[in-house]
Amino acid sequence: MTRDPFFHPVSGFDLPRFAGVPTFMRLPYLTPDHPRFAETQVGLIGVPWDSGTTNRPGPRHGPRQLRDASTMIRAQHPTSGMRPFEAMNCADLGDVGPNPADIPDSMARITAFYDRVTQAGITPLTAGGDHLTTLPVLRALARRAPLGMILFDSHTDLYHSYFGGTMYTHGTPFRRAVEEGLLDPKRVVMIGLRGTMYDTEDRDFARAEGIRLILIEEFHARGPADVMAEARGIAGAGETYVSYDIDFVDPAFAPGTGTPEVGGPTSFQALEVVRGLDGVRIAGADLVEVSPPFDPSGGTAFLGASIMFELLCVMARSIRSRG
């Protein structure tokens, strides 16, 4: 267990949490040219980009609000006792600088950044950004072999295209990821799906490819523990990506997002499902679609930061189990 004080967050006992420059969870900020960059085991990264948004914009501002909210996070998990910042070296690796006027260029920049991260042996935990962000991240992480994926979302994001042929939006990333061989569809499960639909194209594609869809009615009927046991079985022993869209959570608890859907999980269930990832071999994870303009109070961002801490805890156990 590492106890290098360099990688520890600043304690609220030493500096009030409203003071200082906000980084993710008050961790050290390291650029790729920092001499200790390669000692990082989990890197928290912002991708302030929402050019894939098709309706209500704003997630480009998510990473900044999430950083500020995350200063409220303390060092120890309240029930498991896990202290992730002592179990592994964590750092804020900054933001990927996007090109807001050019989607392909932005995706190339994101992939190039994550190539450097993965080549250094760092497991990334990303704050988006809209959900198209996940596609260029997967392009870097799945270079050796397709990944499994556990997705928490109201939507499948499996549509072929929008507006008569636009292939890259926040509603298409996982269709592209399957087509590009980045994901093994037989090891993909999507949890929490709900809301009105354009048609059944996305769900038809999922079923044809063998992707497991768990609609919200099934989630509520079975409960988080049973659903997550199945999700772990689908992911299996292989490397798995975890993608968490904040609109998975009911908008009563997370209004600050672009495409809210009623009837979703509570904020406690939002944490429960992440705790149910224990045992999954996590290759990387993200928390996306926090949109500050729709919740200036910051409550959605604080829930997002809390979910990121839960992800850090299960990532710590995943990394430790690999030796």
Side-chain angles (χ1 to χ4, degrees):
M1 178 177 289
T2 179
R3 297 187 181 276
D4 187 337
F6 177 83
F7 286 99
H8 282 202
V10 177
S11 170
F13 287 155
D14 298 326
L15 181 70
R17 286 179 284 175
F18 54 80
V21 177
T23 59
F24 281 121
M25 302 184 198
R26 312 190 89 190
L27 289 163
Y29 166 60
L30 303 183
T31 58
D33 58 356
H34 191 282
R36 304 200 67 176
F37 178 81
E39 296 176 45
T40 307
Q41 292 170 284
V42 172
L44 287 80
I45 301 164
V47 183
W49 181 61
D50 60 9
S51 295
T53 302
T54 58
N55 185 23
R56 305 199 308 175
R60 67 181 60 188
H61 303 292
R64 184 167 292 183
Q65 193 186 43
L66 283 162
R67 277 192 174 89
D68 193 36
S70 76
T71 62
M72 294 293 291
I73 299 296
R74 302 180 184 89
Q76 182 167 317
H77 193 279
T79 57
S80 71
M82 169 62 74
R83 298 177 67 86
F85 309 116
E86 293 181 9
M88 58 189 179
N89 292 345
C90 302
D92 186 331
L93 304 186
D95 284 348
V96 182
N99 178 348
D102 190 322
I103 286 177
D105 182 51
S106 287
M107 290 198 293
R109 294 177 185 213
I110 295 166
T111 300
F113 187 99
Y114 281 80
D115 277 335
R116 294 190 69 178
V117 169
T118 57
Q119 287 163 11
I122 300 170
T123 302
L125 174 56
T126 301
D130 72 48
H131 223 151
L132 183 57
T133 297
T134 308
L135 178 61
V137 174
L138 288 172
R139 286 174 175 170
L141 270 59
R143 290 199 183 279
R144 291 180 298 176
L147 301 171
M149 184 177 72
I150 298 174
L151 171 68
F152 303 104
D153 204 328
S154 291
H155 316 98
T156 66
D157 297 346
L158 284 171
Y159 273 94
H160 177 266
S161 59
Y162 278 50
F163 307 109
T166 300
M167 308 296 280
Y168 298 102
T169 77
H170 64 170
T172 68
F174 303 124
R175 181 70 162 259
R176 300 288 88 79
V178 171
E179 292 169 348
E180 295 178 22
L182 309 176
L183 294 175
D184 174 358
K186 302 294 192 298
R187 295 183 52 235
V188 173
V189 56
M190 299 182 165
I191 303 169
L193 307 172
R194 63 188 188 274
T196 56
M197 302 161 62
Y198 294 112
D199 52 38
T200 62
E201 178 209 329
D202 57 332
R203 295 186 183 183
D204 293 341
F205 176 82
R207 293 186 179 103
E209 294 291 330
I211 295 171
R212 173 72 165 108
L213 304 180
I214 298 179
L215 277 58
I216 197 63
E217 291 80 6
E218 181 179 352
F219 177 87
H220 285 311
R222 294 173 58 190
D226 191 38
V227 165
M228 291 311 299
E230 182 186 357
R232 292 192 300 273
I234 291 169
E239 290 197 325
T240 300
Y241 192 81
V242 177
S243 189
Y244 201 125
D245 188 325
I246 199 67
D247 74 28
F248 169 76
V249 188
D250 191 274
F253 303 94
T257 192
T259 315
E261 304 288 359
V262 299
T266 66
S267 57
F268 178 67
Q269 290 172 321
L271 306 181
E272 269 191 297
V273 294
V274 181
R275 295 172 189 179
L277 293 167
D278 202 11
V280 175
R281 189 177 181 189
I282 300 174
D286 62 44
L287 184 285
V288 299
E289 296 284 1
V290 170
S291 185
F294 295 103
D295 186 8
S297 73
T300 303
F302 182 58
L303 176 57
S306 300
I307 291 166
M308 290 179 71
F309 180 76
E310 296 282 348
L311 285 166
L312 271 179
C313 289
V314 295
M315 291 169 79
R317 285 189 285 271
S318 177
I319 290 171
R320 192 164 57 188
S321 71
R322 288 176 246 169

